[in-house]
Amino acid sequence: MLNLETSQGRYVYTRSLIMMLYKAVVTEAPGLTLRVEHSISNGQFCRLYDAQGNIAQVKRQLVDRLKSHMKALVAADLPFERVAMTQDDAISVFTKEGLTEKVDLLETSPRPEVVCYRLDGVVDSYISRLADRTSQVGVFDLRLYKEGILLLGPDRNNPKAPAIPVRQTKMYRAFQQSLDFNKIIQVSCVGDLNHAVERGNTGMLINVAETMHNKILSRISDDIMRRRRHGQAQLVLLAGPSSSGKTTTCKRLAVQLMTNMMRPKMISLDDYFVNRDQTPRDEHGEYDFESLYALDLPRFNADLNALLAGKEINLPTYSFELGRRVDKPRPLRLEENDILLIEGIHGLNPELVSEIPADRIYKVYVSALTSLRVDNHNWIPTTDNRLLRRMVRDSKYRGTSPEQTLARWPSVRRGEEKWIFPFQENADATFNSSLIFELGVMKDYLLPLLMGVPESSTYYGEARRLAEFLDCFLSIPTDQVPSNSLLREFLGGSTFHY
């Protein structure tokens, strides 16, 4: 049985489903190519492409046939046969199957042996192992979604039933914007990125990606300015999950707001923590600092209302060392052209600002919505991108080992699932903080850390999975990354102060 309570178990399950979907496409839709684009709406969003590389129109009848074929594979209880091939043999197989992104990856990231899987005559490769047999992955659903297909694995809270899609229109739009950008710069998969490294084109690639970040933040700033002209958007709430780059995004947005003749004033939600003895506890009896109710909501709303009314307040100061608020003079008043910027994980939760008129608030959601694929059937999970960012930062600035970061990550993810992700669609703007080159830059720092996790460790398997994934990338020199890049929040060397 696969343990779906662990990230490794869920990866194995999902990628096994993808191989079954690939087998179904080969049989039911010959001539079309399957591409797994990204995670969305509790599942994996997939598209089918024709021989010319155009998106194929998908109809419900085809989705039903694919689903029936997958169910037949489950009922047949077929093995996912592990097959070791030479690189040349694997390239020959994938060329014949039209899996060009896998060929590009192997040509730019050579290895003496390629681990593949065979299912009912079809061969594929994945960056994690698969299940032993098809009968182990029988809980799933396949639905028509936008112009593609949504593959849904088991529900996290009820593994005996498929996950239920949730509405994520704004997230889909942000992903699509990134996919369109990738198409323009001709870097959609790791093989494309590696080719750019080989040709010495990473400098231009980095400049274009950073300029796109600036452009999106400029558009957000312009939207805020337009609303302010109508007496709205007097404070900006900026939220996102761990290691999404919220802090740098907030600072860069502040720069853009100043170019629109607004003067940002910043408030930290951390200073509104309740005293330690009033902090709620989680199901394990531990202090739950990620809970919304770890904040003094009445004081926070009262201060915001006073500021919006033109009054002066004294900002609270919280001492983490003492576990309580301390008295300290910190007067704040909003003058003409001032705008409040507030960064924190609860920024999209309407209960945070329940006493503030909705039109006075502008909400920004920040996340690393990774749109770069490893290859046709291997996507890069957003959570992996953020985990690797956090691992770099934890090691460089907090003295935390990879094992400690990996141990803490499930708790972080649970907090995100409860306090952040349910409110994503509340955002007025979504900022995708991922950078198409960042994993190539972080590779050389991360690989020694991950390879240093001993086999005796509980986290050895996860560390090896991440190391093998990073090994697909060609290295990109850190000195090519600008000092104002969001990535500098994790690497160091930023012009911003944190």
Side-chain angles (χ1 to χ4, degrees), residues 124-144:
D124 206 351
S125 63
Y126 292 89
I127 56 174
S128 69
R129 70 178 182 86
L130 301 190
D132 294 325
R133 308 188 69 84
T134 56
S135 59
Q136 294 178 300
V137 289
V139 179
F140 69 91
D141 197 5
L142 202 65
R143 299 193 181 194
L144 193 65

Side-chain angles (χ1 to χ4, degrees), residues 463-481:
R464 289 296 300 180
R465 179 187 73 83
L466 292 168
E468 289 171 8
F469 158 60
L470 284 170
D471 204 37
C472 296
F473 293 80
L474 294 185
S475 299
I476 298 174
T478 306
D479 60 13
Q480 293 189 9
V481 181

Side-chain angles (χ1 to χ4, degrees), residues 441-488:
V441 173
M442 292 192 292
K443 171 187 174 177
D444 286 346
Y445 190 86
L446 283 163
L447 275 181
L449 297 176
L450 292 165
M451 297 302 289
V453 176
E455 286 190 51
S456 58
S457 170
T458 304
Y459 304 101
Y460 175 76
E462 182 70 346
R464 289 296 300 180
R465 179 187 73 83
L466 292 168
E468 289 171 8
F469 158 60
L470 284 170
D471 204 37
C472 296
F473 293 80
L474 294 185
S475 299
I476 298 174
T478 306
D479 60 13
Q480 293 189 9
V481 181
S483 58
N484 67 339
S485 173
L486 182 142
L487 194 55
R488 288 290 179 186

Side-chain angles (χ1 to χ4, degrees), residues 123-225:
V123 176
D124 206 351
S125 63
Y126 292 89
I127 56 174
S128 69
R129 70 178 182 86
L130 301 190
D132 294 325
R133 308 188 69 84
T134 56
S135 59
Q136 294 178 300
V137 289
V139 179
F140 69 91
D141 197 5
L142 202 65
R143 299 193 181 194
L144 193 65
Y145 187 87
K146 306 294 183 182
E147 75 284 14
I149 301 168
L150 189 65
L151 175 63
L152 298 149
D155 189 290
R156 289 198 180 193
N157 298 318
N158 180 18
K160 295 183 179 180
I164 304 298
V166 295
R167 181 176 174 272
Q168 290 191 325
T169 305
K170 294 175 183 177
M171 294 286 288
Y172 177 82
R173 193 181 304 131
F175 266 122
Q176 188 56 50
Q177 182 183 49
S178 294
L179 290 173
D180 291 343
F181 174 68
N182 293 354
K183 188 175 181 180
I184 291 296
I185 62 174
Q186 298 182 314
V187 177
S188 296
C189 61
V190 175
D192 292 338
L193 180 61
N194 287 345
H195 279 308
V197 175
E198 289 175 333
R199 293 191 294 264
N201 291 344
T202 52
M204 175 61 76
L205 192 67
I206 289 171
N207 287 336
V208 173
E210 294 288 351
T211 301
M212 177 59 79
H213 267 193
N214 278 334
K215 187 170 186 177
I216 295 171
L217 290 172
S218 175
R219 288 173 179 167
I220 294 172
S221 174
D222 289 347
D223 190 30
I224 293 170
M225 179 181 67

